[in-house]
Amino acid sequence: MKKIRVAIVGYGNVGQAAMQAVLSSSDMELVGIVRRNVQHIPHELKNCNVVGSIDALSDVDVALLCVPTREVPRQAAALLEKGISTVDSYDIHTGICSLRNELMSIACEHGAVSIVSAGWDPGSDSVVRCLMNALTPSGITYTDFGPGRSMGHTVAVRAIEGVEDALSLTIPLGTGLHRRMVYVQLKQGYDFEAVREQILQDDYFRHDETHVQQVGSVAELNNVAHSVNIVRNGVSGTTHNQQLAFRMSINNPALTGQVMVSCARAAVRLQPGAYTMIEIPPVCLLPGDVEQNIRALV
Amino acid sequence: MKKIRVAIVGYGNVGQAAMQAVLSSSDMELVGIVRRNVQHIPHELKNCNVVGSIDALSDVDVALLCVPTREVPRQAAALLEKGISTVDSYDIHTGICSLRNELMSIACEHGAVSIVSAGWDPGSDSVVRCLMNALTPSGITYTDFGPGRSMGHTVAVRAIEGVEDALSLTIPLGTGLHRRMVYVQLKQGYDFEAVREQILQDDYFRHDETHVQQVGSVAELNNVAHSVNIVRNGVSGTTHNQQLAFRMSINNPALTGQVMVSCARAAVRLQPGAYTMIEIPPVCLLPGDVEQNIRALV
């Protein structure tokens, strides 16, 4: 059987995890890695095709866009125009539907598939929320994140003058509310209290319970673990108090990379177009044929 | 917008719950209920179209087969041959794939859709197991049921001579193992110890830890609550110890009826053919258009 030829664009945390997931998938082959820096190649990529442009790779079926989220729209469009299917983990919730619609017409025109927001949230959590709504059409769903690092909040703290490095941890308080634990490593000569005040007044933090601590080294706190708990109490028909919950405790980039790789499989199976994960038959994410998976899982 | 015209075949626990779910769905209308007994019509069906055959109903889009599981294959085939789409909650795990394949050709030939095994297990639990495998391709999934009544085990006990009524409760011990708590109401003149021995030697029970108790009235123990806990510890790429869990505590027939009704929506949206739930895009289960659901849930 012909293997799915996958390229990885970007080699940060998620790109590295995606590479491991591709190499662990017997139905895929890694065509190459596209990155800006092709001079200094990390040791583990010595036997790998590392290139500066996707044009240097041949017969790519699917490109995994492991790039910063804001670069996704432009890069996905450019790849789809070459007829290369894409998978991304675009995570700005308010922009997902319009990104999907923009990429839809490009993908259809070029006979390619684009799977957008294929991470765990948005992504597999979205599938869980969708399924929970199908089981209980009325009710409230709470998505409680953490403990785990919030990249958005961390970046907001790092942007403050006097901050050498920072980490913002998200702690779940239940019912969709979160505490922020902020760890700050200061540059020489800056006042902690002034920095702390700026953090507390920042839009990212001022609506949440926030605790700021000064530490000597943020690097020593590094941990890519994350968790989520999706809870719904809802109504099936006219029957109340149907209780549903989905919980994960995971290595964040490893899960994101794996979801993207599983979606690469769907990308070669679906009709041309752009899809979010709730639009994909779940069995399309798995290796093997449909009947084999029905026998094993249904 | 034209409403989905739904008929319910069978009016037991699940049929009653399905009726409540249809009546609670603003995009559907209940065309009628098909049941053997059309002489004695329950009070709550006084304003409802109760008929002895589906042929007495007009323009049915989807029929929900709320009949005993062994009757599903024959009744689904007969309805599909009339061009009526079907949803069933066929629950004999080993027969699902062949039932789907049998109904596939009939459905395709008559331009209809058949959704098989649309309950919670098989059904929505199957979707969860499928998704968990996509997130962590290697690892072990345990599906732990209960506490809740097992119909199969209950029926096995009721078949024993001297048993007036019985209830077999499934208790989860974790790692897919279950304890059986059996409550027996005896007919006059039968010996409890003899009945107990027969239960313990029955194929349904002899591999599991089983406790048998005599009670005066099984009816007083009646409770349609059930629970499930699906647990997976798996590997994403090369990263181990990814922990996933899905838990529900629910009214069993209410959930089954609701899942069937949500699948009726998918039945009018999918191409002709037969599908298990892992073959259906989850968003097809929800009312409203795709973009609206992406904005709310992804």
Side-chain angles (χ1 to χ4, degrees):
Chain A
M1 215 181 69
K2 190 188 167 290
K3 293 193 175 191
I4 306 167
R5 290 175 57 81
V6 180
I8 294 172
V9 182
Y11 194 66
N13 277 344
V14 172
Q16 291 169 42
M19 184 181 80
Q20 291 163 346
V22 170
L23 296 176
S24 303
S25 303
S26 58
D27 58 342
M28 298 189 181
E29 59 185 311
L30 182 62
V31 185
I33 291 173
V34 183
R35 59 190 309 230
R36 274 169 306 187
N37 185 348
V38 293
Q39 305 303 314
H40 184 78
I41 292 177
H43 178 72
E44 77 272 16
L45 297 184
K46 285 288 185 262
N47 297 318
C48 190
N49 203 1
V50 181
V51 298
S53 159
I54 194 109
D55 298 328
L57 301 175
S58 58
D59 300 325
V60 174
D61 293 317
V62 190
L64 307 182
L65 284 171
C66 305
V67 299
T69 222
R70 288 182 198 286
E71 290 187 26
V72 164
R74 187 183 56 77
Q75 294 206 29
L79 288 161
L80 293 170
E81 279 167 5
K82 296 178 199 285
I84 297 172
S85 292
T86 62
V87 177
D88 66 67
S89 58
Y90 182 83
D91 67 354
I92 303 168
H93 284 259
T94 51
I96 293 169
C97 193
S98 57
L99 175 62
R100 167 199 176 265
N101 293 350
E102 279 166 45
L103 298 181
M104 180 79 87
S105 51
I106 307 173
C108 288
E109 194 184 330
H110 295 88
V113 168
S114 182
I115 300 182
V116 303
S117 301
W120 57 272
D121 204 320
S124 51
D125 281 2
S126 316
V127 174
V128 171
R129 286 189 287 264
C130 187
L131 187 65
M132 286 180 169
N133 273 34
L135 302 186
T136 55
S138 78
I140 300 176
T141 301
Y142 294 114
T143 302
D144 297 315
F145 293 103
R149 176 163 54 184
S150 163
M151 276 315 293
H153 290 78
T154 295
V155 167
V157 178
R158 282 182 186 150
I160 291 170
E161 202 192 325
V163 173
E164 176 72 38
D165 199 359
L167 163 67
S168 179
L169 215 59
T170 302
I171 308 294
L173 302 179
T175 59
L177 300 175
H178 297 91
R179 177 189 300 141
R180 311 292 170 183
M181 297 296 292
V182 184
Y183 301 88
V184 178
Q185 180 181 339
L186 286 186
K187 286 179 181 162
Q188 205 81 41
Y190 283 88
D191 176 46
F192 173 67
E193 274 309 313
V195 169
R196 182 175 166 278
E197 274 308 311
Q198 269 197 71
I199 292 170
L200 294 179
Q201 284 160 32
D202 190 288
D203 266 352
Y204 263 95
F205 295 95
R206 64 197 187 86
H207 305 290
D208 295 337
E209 178 192 329
T210 301
H211 302 261
V212 186
Q213 289 176 52
Q214 187 174 3
V215 296
S217 161
V218 164
E220 288 176 7
L221 310 182
N222 186 41
N223 184 353
V224 296
H226 218 315
S227 288
V228 71
N229 196 17
I230 307 176
V231 181
R232 183 172 177 89
N233 190 312
V235 182
S236 305
T238 54
T239 302
H240 292 243
N241 198 29
Q242 302 281 71
Q243 298 178 35
L244 317 175
F246 178 79
R247 178 188 283 276
M248 296 197 298
S249 176
I250 45 92
N251 174 310
N252 185 350
L255 188 62
T256 304
Q258 181 65 65
V259 172
M260 295 180 78
V261 168
S262 295
C263 285
R265 231 170 247 129
V268 300
R269 290 166 170 173
L270 295 168
Q271 293 299 309
Y275 301 80
T276 58
M277 282 184 75
I278 66 173
E279 299 169 83
I280 301 173
V283 73
C284 290
L285 304 172
L286 301 185
D289 70 19
V290 173
E291 292 189 21
Q292 176 186 334
N293 283 305
I294 291 174
R295 289 201 180 87
L297 297 166
V298 179
Chain B
M1 213 180 69
K2 187 189 168 291
K3 293 194 176 189
I4 305 168
R5 290 174 58 82
V6 180
I8 295 173
V9 182
Y11 194 66
N13 277 343
V14 172
Q16 291 169 41
M19 183 181 80
Q20 290 164 347
V22 170
L23 296 176
S24 303
S25 303
S26 58
D27 59 343
M28 297 189 183
E29 58 185 310
L30 182 63
V31 185
I33 291 174
V34 183
R35 59 189 311 231
R36 274 170 305 187
N37 186 346
V38 293
Q39 305 304 316
H40 184 79
I41 293 177
H43 178 74
E44 76 271 17
L45 297 184
K46 285 285 182 266
N47 296 317
C48 191
N49 203 358
V50 181
V51 297
S53 158
I54 193 108
D55 297 329
L57 302 174
S58 59
D59 300 326
V60 174
D61 294 317
V62 189
L64 308 182
L65 283 172
C66 305
V67 298
T69 221
R70 290 184 196 284
E71 290 187 24
V72 163
R74 186 182 57 79
Q75 294 207 28
L79 288 161
L80 293 170
E81 278 167 7
K82 297 178 198 283
I84 297 172
S85 292
T86 62
V87 177
D88 67 68
S89 59
Y90 182 83
D91 67 355
I92 303 170
H93 284 261
T94 51
I96 294 169
C97 194
S98 57
L99 175 63
R100 166 200 177 264
N101 292 351
E102 279 166 43
L103 298 181
M104 179 81 84
S105 51
I106 306 173
C108 287
E109 194 184 330
H110 296 87
V113 168
S114 181
I115 301 182
V116 303
S117 301
W120 58 273
D121 203 319
S124 52
D125 281 2
S126 317
V127 174
V128 171
R129 286 189 287 263
C130 185
L131 188 65
M132 286 181 170
N133 272 34
L135 302 184
T136 56
S138 76
I140 299 176
T141 302
Y142 294 114
T143 302
D144 297 316
F145 293 103
R149 175 163 51 183
S150 163
M151 275 314 294
H153 289 77
T154 296
V155 168
V157 179
R158 282 184 187 151
I160 291 171
E161 202 192 323
V163 173
E164 175 74 38
D165 199 0
L167 163 66
S168 178
L169 216 60
T170 301
I171 308 295
L173 302 177
T175 59
L177 301 175
H178 298 92
R179 176 189 302 141
R180 311 292 168 183
M181 298 297 291
V182 184
Y183 301 88
V184 179
Q185 180 182 338
L186 287 186
K187 288 179 181 163
Q188 204 84 37
Y190 283 87
D191 176 46
F192 173 64
E193 274 310 314
V195 169
R196 182 176 167 275
E197 274 309 312
Q198 269 197 73
I199 294 170
L200 295 178
Q201 282 160 31
D202 190 289
D203 266 352
Y204 263 95
F205 295 95
R206 64 198 187 86
H207 304 291
D208 294 338
E209 179 192 330
T210 301
H211 302 261
V212 186
Q213 289 177 53
Q214 187 175 5
V215 296
S217 161
V218 164
E220 286 178 8
L221 309 180
N222 186 42
N223 184 353
V224 296
H226 218 315
S227 288
V228 69
N229 196 16
I230 306 176
V231 180
R232 183 174 176 88
N233 191 311
V235 182
S236 305
T238 56
T239 302
H240 292 242
N241 199 28
Q242 303 280 72
Q243 297 176 38
L244 318 175
F246 178 79
R247 179 188 281 276
M248 297 197 298
S249 176
I250 45 91
N251 174 310
N252 186 350
L255 188 62
T256 304
Q258 181 66 64
V259 172
M260 294 180 78
V261 168
S262 295
C263 285
R265 235 171 242 128
V268 300
R269 290 166 171 173
L270 294 168
Q271 293 299 308
Y275 301 80
T276 58
M277 282 184 76
I278 66 173
E279 300 169 82
I280 301 174
V283 73
C284 290
L285 305 172
L286 302 184
D289 71 18
V290 173
E291 292 190 21
Q292 176 186 332
N293 283 305
I294 291 174
R295 288 200 180 88
L297 297 167
V298 180

